[in-house]
Amino acid sequence: MEVLILSRLQFAAATFFHFLFVPLTLGLSILVAIMETKWVRSGDEEYKRMAKFWGKLFLINFGLGLVTGITLEFQFGTNWSRYSAYVGDIFGSLLAIEATAAFFLESTFIAVWIFGWERISPKLHCVAIWLVAFAGTLSAYWILAANAWMQHPVGYVMRNGRAELANFFDVITQRFAVIEFVHTVSGAYILAGFFVMGISAYHLLRKREVSFFTKSFRIALVFALVFSLFEVVQGHFNGGEVAEAQPSKLAAMESHWKTQKMAPMYLLQVPNLSGDGNLIEWIPIPGALSILAYGDPHAEVKGLSDFKPEDRPPVFLTFISFRIMVGLGMLFVLLTVWGFLIRKKLLDNPKYLRIMMLAIPLPYIANEAGWMVAEVGRQPWIVWGLMRTSDAVSPVDPTQVAVSLIAFILFYGLLGVVAFWLMARFAKKGPEPLPAAQG
């Protein structure tokens, strides 16, 4: 197998594994901060126990996300050295700021939060977890701004055969970066909400710590409901941005082949695995794709046939991933609206609680599918319109990459088993008993 394919597989394996932990870190830090704020404001000790219990799961998840993220940055040097040489001035500066500012802030205040219980005032301790949540979100912005630049490069000049930074603020404030950040972080908040609801449902079905887990469930429910609704609306604007900046990705997302006005969407559509048309196109909705892309049913949408074959992204994978993401996004709205309607009678609805317990993996799948759309849909470019992925790979022996790829899979596989076993163990155990109950 050639070095390009091996390097892409290795980076994909590391990225998708790392992204199993990142969204929960982002969302759970906010939920823990909300719980601790409720404790500080009300004096209700149950909220303090909630902050400690969910905070423990947050810390396990954070540690694993940290370990798996480090290897990604090394791969820019080992597997993608030509890419690093070509755009390192821009991409590297964003990652450096993320590490030296946001990540250090997050790590410092996580230590304050862990060791600060009973040592600093409740208000200062609460400020610490809010700073952890803020720093985590800030960290996500720098990384997503770097990825957005790969999707839609701005603020650079070509000099000596390299892309060099010309306007830093253009890079970090461009519309593509803001939309990508909002979309990704909202998905993370939905995941955290479903994580808390799923574990709470597990305990409520067994009538354990009913008050504790009912409160936890309701906080997470409102959180997930708000961002599930927001994600659907925001996703529409995201589609419009992709249509403007990456028309071939939009065409792949919809397996749209013919350039036309009043472009339809099909209720049932299946692309050919060979990537040269659709196997099934049933029940068209005239103009729906034009509206989705440009807000105008008469707008022209460029089809894949108007792009050279070598400039088209893999259609089938992009198309399927997009539908998984959108379909699950709609399901999250239904589940959270249903939960909101019965929020005061959760124990009377065991069927709903069982569904929410089983739904824990679904936001993980939706988030990974979203990244699949973003990254596979960007191909064959590593930097859109500037550098092809095939030109970015390091000139190394394929055997070296194959060995490290196998090592990554084995190590991450073992780490994943340990990680999820550890989190499941703590989640099933539940919170520490009340001091009165301990006697």
Short mmCIF file of all heavy atoms in Angstrom, two decimals, residues 13-23 64-70 72 143 368 412:
data_model
loop_
_atom_site.label_atom_id
_atom_site.label_comp_id
_atom_site.label_asym_id
_atom_site.label_seq_id
_atom_site.Cartn_x
_atom_site.Cartn_y
_atom_site.Cartn_z
N ALA A 13 -7.42 7.44 11.85
CA ALA A 13 -7.59 6.61 13.04
C ALA A 13 -7.33 7.43 14.31
O ALA A 13 -8.10 7.38 15.28
CB ALA A 13 -6.65 5.41 12.99
N ALA A 14 -6.24 8.22 14.28
CA ALA A 14 -5.90 9.03 15.45
C ALA A 14 -6.94 10.12 15.69
O ALA A 14 -7.34 10.38 16.83
CB ALA A 14 -4.51 9.64 15.26
N THR A 15 -7.40 10.75 14.62
CA THR A 15 -8.36 11.86 14.77
C THR A 15 -9.70 11.36 15.28
O THR A 15 -10.27 11.94 16.21
CB THR A 15 -8.56 12.56 13.41
OG1 THR A 15 -7.30 13.03 12.93
CG2 THR A 15 -9.52 13.73 13.55
N PHE A 16 -10.20 10.30 14.69
CA PHE A 16 -11.52 9.82 15.09
C PHE A 16 -11.49 9.25 16.51
O PHE A 16 -12.47 9.39 17.24
CB PHE A 16 -12.04 8.80 14.08
CG PHE A 16 -12.62 9.44 12.85
CD1 PHE A 16 -11.82 9.72 11.76
CD2 PHE A 16 -13.95 9.79 12.79
CE1 PHE A 16 -12.33 10.34 10.64
CE2 PHE A 16 -14.48 10.41 11.67
CZ PHE A 16 -13.68 10.69 10.59
N PHE A 17 -10.38 8.64 16.89
CA PHE A 17 -10.28 8.16 18.26
C PHE A 17 -10.21 9.34 19.23
O PHE A 17 -10.90 9.36 20.26
CB PHE A 17 -9.05 7.26 18.41
CG PHE A 17 -8.99 6.57 19.74
CD1 PHE A 17 -9.81 5.48 20.01
CD2 PHE A 17 -8.15 7.02 20.74
CE1 PHE A 17 -9.79 4.85 21.24
CE2 PHE A 17 -8.11 6.39 21.98
CZ PHE A 17 -8.93 5.30 22.23
N HIS A 18 -9.39 10.33 18.90
CA HIS A 18 -9.27 11.52 19.75
C HIS A 18 -10.62 12.22 19.91
O HIS A 18 -10.99 12.67 21.00
CB HIS A 18 -8.25 12.48 19.11
CG HIS A 18 -8.11 13.78 19.82
ND1 HIS A 18 -7.74 13.88 21.15
CD2 HIS A 18 -8.30 15.07 19.40
CE1 HIS A 18 -7.69 15.16 21.50
NE2 HIS A 18 -8.04 15.88 20.46
N PHE A 19 -11.39 12.24 18.83
CA PHE A 19 -12.66 12.98 18.87
C PHE A 19 -13.76 12.20 19.59
O PHE A 19 -14.88 12.68 19.72
CB PHE A 19 -13.11 13.35 17.46
CG PHE A 19 -13.98 14.58 17.44
CD1 PHE A 19 -13.47 15.82 17.80
CD2 PHE A 19 -15.32 14.51 17.10
CE1 PHE A 19 -14.27 16.95 17.82
CE2 PHE A 19 -16.13 15.64 17.12
CZ PHE A 19 -15.60 16.86 17.48
N LEU A 20 -13.45 11.00 20.08
CA LEU A 20 -14.39 10.33 20.98
C LEU A 20 -14.43 11.02 22.34
O LEU A 20 -15.41 10.91 23.07
CB LEU A 20 -13.98 8.86 21.17
CG LEU A 20 -14.20 7.93 19.98
CD1 LEU A 20 -13.61 6.56 20.28
CD2 LEU A 20 -15.69 7.79 19.65
N PHE A 21 -13.35 11.75 22.68
CA PHE A 21 -13.23 12.33 24.02
C PHE A 21 -13.43 13.85 24.04
O PHE A 21 -13.88 14.40 25.04
CB PHE A 21 -11.85 11.98 24.61
CG PHE A 21 -11.60 10.50 24.64
CD1 PHE A 21 -10.80 9.88 23.69
CD2 PHE A 21 -12.21 9.70 25.60
CE1 PHE A 21 -10.58 8.52 23.70
CE2 PHE A 21 -12.01 8.33 25.62
CZ PHE A 21 -11.19 7.73 24.66
N VAL A 22 -13.08 14.51 22.95
CA VAL A 22 -13.14 15.97 22.94
C VAL A 22 -14.54 16.53 23.18
O VAL A 22 -14.72 17.42 24.02
CB VAL A 22 -12.56 16.51 21.60
CG1 VAL A 22 -12.78 18.02 21.50
CG2 VAL A 22 -11.09 16.17 21.49
N PRO A 23 -15.58 16.06 22.48
CA PRO A 23 -16.90 16.69 22.68
C PRO A 23 -17.41 16.56 24.11
O PRO A 23 -17.99 17.50 24.64
CB PRO A 23 -17.81 15.90 21.71
CG PRO A 23 -16.90 15.30 20.71
CD PRO A 23 -15.63 15.03 21.44
N LEU A 64 -7.91 11.23 28.96
CA LEU A 64 -7.77 10.39 27.76
C LEU A 64 -7.73 11.24 26.49
O LEU A 64 -7.00 10.95 25.55
CB LEU A 64 -8.93 9.40 27.71
CG LEU A 64 -8.86 8.34 28.81
CD1 LEU A 64 -10.19 7.67 29.01
CD2 LEU A 64 -7.79 7.32 28.46
N GLY A 65 -8.50 12.31 26.48
CA GLY A 65 -8.47 13.21 25.33
C GLY A 65 -7.12 13.88 25.17
O GLY A 65 -6.61 14.05 24.06
N LEU A 66 -6.51 14.20 26.30
CA LEU A 66 -5.19 14.83 26.28
C LEU A 66 -4.15 13.90 25.68
O LEU A 66 -3.37 14.28 24.81
CB LEU A 66 -4.81 15.21 27.72
CG LEU A 66 -3.40 15.73 27.95
CD1 LEU A 66 -3.21 17.04 27.21
CD2 LEU A 66 -3.14 15.91 29.44
N VAL A 67 -4.14 12.66 26.14
CA VAL A 67 -3.15 11.68 25.66
C VAL A 67 -3.29 11.45 24.15
O VAL A 67 -2.31 11.43 23.41
CB VAL A 67 -3.33 10.35 26.42
CG1 VAL A 67 -2.48 9.25 25.79
CG2 VAL A 67 -2.97 10.53 27.88
N THR A 68 -4.53 11.29 23.70
CA THR A 68 -4.74 10.96 22.29
C THR A 68 -4.53 12.16 21.36
O THR A 68 -4.33 11.97 20.16
CB THR A 68 -6.16 10.41 22.08
OG1 THR A 68 -7.12 11.36 22.57
CG2 THR A 68 -6.34 9.10 22.84
N GLY A 69 -4.59 13.37 21.90
CA GLY A 69 -4.41 14.56 21.06
C GLY A 69 -2.96 14.85 20.74
O GLY A 69 -2.65 15.43 19.69
N ILE A 70 -2.07 14.44 21.64
CA ILE A 70 -0.65 14.76 21.45
C ILE A 70 -0.10 14.14 20.18
O ILE A 70 0.67 14.75 19.44
CB ILE A 70 0.16 14.30 22.68
CG1 ILE A 70 -0.22 15.16 23.90
CG2 ILE A 70 1.66 14.37 22.42
CD1 ILE A 70 0.37 14.67 25.20
N LEU A 72 -1.49 13.54 17.42
CA LEU A 72 -1.93 14.18 16.17
C LEU A 72 -0.93 15.25 15.72
O LEU A 72 -0.61 15.36 14.54
CB LEU A 72 -3.31 14.81 16.39
CG LEU A 72 -4.50 13.86 16.35
CD1 LEU A 72 -5.77 14.58 16.75
CD2 LEU A 72 -4.65 13.27 14.96
N ILE A 143 -8.25 25.51 17.39
CA ILE A 143 -8.08 24.31 16.55
C ILE A 143 -9.05 24.33 15.38
O ILE A 143 -8.68 24.02 14.24
CB ILE A 143 -8.27 23.04 17.41
CG1 ILE A 143 -7.12 22.93 18.42
CG2 ILE A 143 -8.34 21.80 16.55
CD1 ILE A 143 -7.30 21.86 19.45
N GLU A 368 -18.87 12.05 14.85
CA GLU A 368 -17.85 11.45 13.96
C GLU A 368 -18.28 11.55 12.50
O GLU A 368 -17.46 11.80 11.61
CB GLU A 368 -17.62 9.99 14.35
CG GLU A 368 -17.09 9.76 15.76
CD GLU A 368 -15.61 10.10 15.92
OE1 GLU A 368 -15.02 10.65 14.97
OE2 GLU A 368 -15.04 9.81 16.99
N TYR A 412 -4.36 2.30 20.64
CA TYR A 412 -5.63 3.01 20.84
C TYR A 412 -6.76 2.03 21.15
O TYR A 412 -7.68 2.36 21.90
CB TYR A 412 -5.97 3.85 19.61
CG TYR A 412 -5.25 5.18 19.56
CD1 TYR A 412 -5.27 5.96 18.41
CD2 TYR A 412 -4.56 5.66 20.68
CE1 TYR A 412 -4.62 7.18 18.37
CE2 TYR A 412 -3.91 6.86 20.64
CZ TYR A 412 -3.93 7.62 19.48
OH TYR A 412 -3.29 8.83 19.45
#
